[in-house]
Amino acid sequence: LGRTLKKVNKIVKDIKQIGYSAVKGEKLNYENLKNEISVTDILVNCTSLGMFPHIHQNPVPPELLTPQLIVYDIVYNPLNTQLIKNAKKKGCLVIDGLGMLLYQAIASFKIWTGQTPPVEPLRKVALKQLIKK
């Protein structure tokens, strides 16, 4: 599901071209979200909704969250987004966006330098910087 149907259709086409035929795409709206969550194990927020400074925006109404969901919000600023807060209240397993940020940085560093930096020092620096905001 996505906010821009043209982009959703492009992603679906690209995924099908690499061999995953059982993929579909729809507009992100309440009804589609309600229908898809009922048959979903993992919900991934790849939108910027909830990212600073729009921290009160939330792509998923709390009443649609259920305890069996794993909720992964790639937003990293703030780490504890409204989606994450709501998912925790509903008993979902949650994953914040720090890992995505961290491993993108590590991949970029490796591309540019040919070296893989140590993960934990980078995680500590990222957390320190994110907590300051």
Side-chain angles (χ1 to χ4, degrees), residues 2 6 15 23 25 27 34 45-46 55 65 67 116 119 133:
K6 184 177 179 180
I15 292 171
V23 63
K27 181 102 172 118
K34 181 179 176 184
N45 175 33
C46 298
I55 61 173
L65 298 170
T116 302
V119 175
K133 294 183 178 190

Side-chain angles (χ1 to χ4, degrees), residues 11-23:
I11 291 168
V12 168
K13 180 182 174 192
D14 291 348
I15 292 171
K16 284 183 176 183
Q17 283 182 340
I18 61 172
Y20 294 96
S21 59
V23 63

Side-chain angles (χ1 to χ4, degrees), residues 42-47 49-51 54-62 65-67 69-100:
I42 302 173
L43 181 136
V44 181
N45 175 33
C46 298
T47 74
L49 294 175
M51 178 78 86
H54 307 288
I55 61 173
H56 298 294
Q57 292 181 334
N58 183 3
V60 182
L65 298 170
T66 58
L69 276 175
I70 297 170
V71 176
Y72 181 17
D73 194 346
I74 68 164
V75 169
Y76 56 84
N77 184 17
L79 285 177
N80 199 23
T81 63
Q82 193 60 53
L83 175 57
I84 294 279
K85 290 176 189 175
N86 292 342
K88 285 179 180 176
K89 286 180 188 173
K90 292 286 186 156
C92 303
L93 174 64
V94 300
I95 305 165
D96 63 43
L98 180 61
M100 179 72 75

Side-chain angles (χ1 to χ4, degrees), residues 1 28-37 59-61 64:
L1 302 176
L28 176 62
N29 61 39
Y30 187 89
E31 274 309 305
N32 287 340
L33 193 55
K34 181 179 176 184
N35 292 336
E36 293 305 321
I37 281 182
V60 182
L64 296 182

Side-chain angles (χ1 to χ4, degrees), residues 96-117:
D96 63 43
L98 180 61
M100 179 72 75
L101 176 68
L102 182 62
Y103 284 97
Q104 284 178 340
I106 288 169
S108 295
F109 189 88
K110 186 173 183 179
I111 289 168
W112 287 98
T113 67
Q115 300 175 16
T116 302

